[in-house]
């Protein structure tokens, strides 16, 4: 089977780790490069976490350090949900792989320009690296098949009432991505809200009995407890654990797990109240050509199966 060549840009991050577990295990996916975004934690930490996670999973994939801060905004991290380290209270061993010699944007540029088939980019953090790549090197677009992002929300945010964290963290970068002309698939909260794990499934992870399963269990429990105490523990955001980031890679593996529609999406950047909101024009008020395929539903059971299949492969 021909594999899909993929670059992953991520800010690990608890659910980012779950995404990496799926992406690095799946037979359909050929991860050519991993780059790190500042988001859930500072760049020093997300980069270190990515190196440790990839090493721990026994993979030898280039990991390149991304930009330290959003394009214009000040960096806002999410320690309440991901811990001071970005991995809850779980420790990963020192990495055995070395970090890349080249910065993320140079590495992405080289991988895309030298690939004999178009690259799919999967993102699970703020879009700083990818937005800057597209802005600085628009010539890469010819060889990008699509950009599958976890980010945004047509309805209901998780950091302010209207905005999702990854877009809120760097709205300018996100707008560069939506405006780029490259096909964008948006796994926003509309879909990822449904990507939850039942309590019985969280317990079943522990029962797998591997060191990885134990780490995953502890990280998910940390995430769950963080949600319990959060102001988002309201109907939209009950204290269940969601595999937000895994949706972005799952769509690439099997788009039939999702339902979506083509819409025009632009990012609000000026308003002091709603900056970082994805304005998904499902009413076609702006009469613009669609620029994104916006997911609004996921087959939860199949997504969870995909995750368990991946966990069993390590
Ligand atoms: C997103 O925000 C981050 O905290 C998670 O890792 C995920 O990428 C969900 O809004
Ligand atoms: Ca993330």
């Amino acid at each position: 089977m021909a594999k899909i060549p993929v670059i992953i840009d991520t800010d690990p991050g608890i659910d980012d780790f779950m995404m990496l577990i799926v992406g690095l295990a799946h037979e359909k996916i050929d991860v050519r490069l991993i780059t790190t975004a500042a988001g859930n934690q500072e760049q020093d930490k997300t980069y270190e976490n990515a190196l440790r996670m990839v090493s721990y999973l026994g993979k030898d994939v280039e990991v390149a350090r991304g930009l330290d801060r959003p394009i214009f905004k000040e960096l806002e991290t999410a320690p309440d949900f991901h811990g001071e380290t970005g991995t809850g209270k779980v420790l990963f061993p020192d990495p055995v792989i070395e970090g890349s010699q080249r910065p993320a944007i140079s590495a992405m540029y080289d991988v895309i320009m030298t690939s004999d088939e178009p690259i799919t980019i999967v993102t699970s953090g703020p879009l700083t690296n990818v937005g800057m790549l597209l802005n600085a090197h628009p010539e890469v677009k010819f060889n990008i098949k699509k950009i599958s992002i976890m980010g945004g929300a047509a309805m209901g945010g998780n950091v302010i009432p209207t905005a999702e964290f990854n877009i809120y963290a760097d709205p300018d970068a996100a707008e560069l991505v939506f405006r780029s002309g490259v096909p964008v698939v948006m796994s926003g909260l509309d879909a990822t809200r449904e990507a939850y794990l039942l309590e019985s499934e969280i317990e079943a992870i522990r029962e797998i009995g591997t060191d990885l399963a134990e780490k995953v269990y502890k990280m998910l429990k940390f995430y769950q407890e963080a949600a319990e105490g959060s102001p988002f523990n309201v109907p939209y955001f009950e204290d269940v654990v969601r595999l937000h980031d895994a949706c972005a890679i799952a769509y690439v593996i099997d788009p039939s797990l999702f339902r979506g529609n083509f819409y025009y999406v632009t990012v609000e950047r000026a308003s002091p109240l709603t900056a970082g909101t994805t304005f998904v024009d499902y009413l076609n008020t702006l009469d613009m050509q669609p620029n994104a395929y916006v997911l609004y539903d996921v087959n939860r059971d199949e997504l969870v199966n995909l995750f368990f299949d991946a966990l069993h492969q390590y």
Side-chain angles (χ1 to χ4, degrees):
M1 181 202 309
K3 292 189 169 209
I4 303 166
V6 164
I7 293 175
I8 292 175
D9 187 74
T10 180
D11 65 335
I14 289 176
D15 57 325
D16 302 79
F17 184 48
M18 310 310 149
M19 178 275 298
L20 289 170
I21 288 169
V22 175
L24 289 169
H26 203 277
E27 58 180 2
K28 274 174 110 173
I29 300 292
D30 174 16
V31 182
R32 301 257 174 106
L33 171 70
I34 293 171
T35 54
T36 52
N40 286 328
Q41 266 300 346
E42 293 149 13
Q43 179 64 238
D44 283 350
K45 295 181 184 176
T46 59
Y47 178 54
E48 181 68 21
N49 289 343
L51 280 170
R52 285 173 184 256
M53 289 168 176
V54 172
S55 267
Y56 176 76
L57 294 173
K59 306 292 175 179
D60 188 13
V61 178
E62 179 178 358
V63 179
R65 183 186 167 110
L67 296 167
D68 283 356
R69 58 187 64 85
I71 297 178
F72 288 117
K73 272 187 86 163
E74 292 297 316
L75 178 65
E76 282 183 44
T77 59
D80 291 351
F81 287 92
H82 299 268
E84 282 307 322
T85 58
T87 59
K89 292 202 173 105
V90 168
L91 298 174
F92 286 85
D94 288 345
V96 292
I97 57 167
E98 286 191 13
S100 175
Q101 296 296 312
R102 43 190 188 175
I105 291 178
S106 307
M108 286 195 277
Y109 178 86
D110 290 344
V111 169
I112 294 166
M113 296 302 277
T114 59
S115 175
D116 47 12
E117 54 178 317
I119 296 281
T120 295
I121 300 179
V122 173
T123 71
S124 66
L127 289 158
T128 316
N129 296 323
V130 180
M132 291 293 273
L133 169 78
L134 295 167
N135 206 31
H137 303 289
E139 65 274 25
V140 295
K141 293 178 193 173
F142 89 96
N143 214 20
I144 302 176
K145 186 170 181 195
K146 64 166 100 76
I147 305 175
S148 177
I149 71 165
M150 190 283 130
M155 281 176 273
N158 62 355
V159 52
I160 58 172
T162 57
E164 180 280 331
F165 177 79
N166 290 336
I167 307 297
Y168 174 87
D170 196 344
D172 303 288
E175 180 66 3
L176 288 170
V177 171
F178 283 110
R179 275 191 202 183
S180 68
V182 176
V184 174
V185 178
M186 178 177 132
S187 292
L189 295 174
D190 315 283
T192 69
R193 203 175 271 141
E194 296 303 316
Y196 57 85
L197 286 170
L198 300 170
E199 195 63 42
S200 56
E201 291 162 343
I202 298 174
E203 294 303 323
I205 290 171
R206 188 170 225 182
E207 281 159 24
I208 294 172
T210 57
D211 187 72
L212 170 64
E214 185 64 19
K215 280 188 167 44
V216 165
Y217 174 83
K218 286 190 175 143
M219 288 168 85
L220 293 175
K221 278 288 174 193
F222 183 94
Y223 213 30
Q224 187 179 36
E225 280 158 26
E228 261 170 32
S230 95
F232 308 123
N233 193 7
V234 292
Y236 269 149
F237 294 100
E238 333 70 86
D239 54 352
V240 294
V241 169
R242 293 181 168 86
L243 301 172
H244 296 290
D245 290 340
C247 291
I249 192 82
Y251 180 83
V252 176
I253 293 167
D254 186 357
S256 76
L257 297 187
F258 296 87
R259 287 194 295 169
N261 256 322
F262 287 100
Y263 293 121
Y264 175 70
V265 181
T266 187
V267 181
E268 173 56 46
R269 291 168 297 140
S271 158
L273 282 181
T274 60
T277 300
T278 41
F279 183 91
V280 177
D281 196 11
Y282 55 83
L283 300 174
N284 198 24
T285 57
L286 301 176
D287 199 21
M288 296 287 286
Q289 284 297 318
N291 60 353
Y293 188 65
V294 180
L295 306 182
Y296 58 79
D297 194 19
V298 59
N299 182 332
R300 192 204 76 89
D301 292 353
E302 287 302 318
L303 181 85
V304 172
N305 284 343
L306 192 68
F307 182 49
F308 272 81
D309 285 349
L311 283 172
H312 282 287
Q313 284 189 47
Y314 293 94

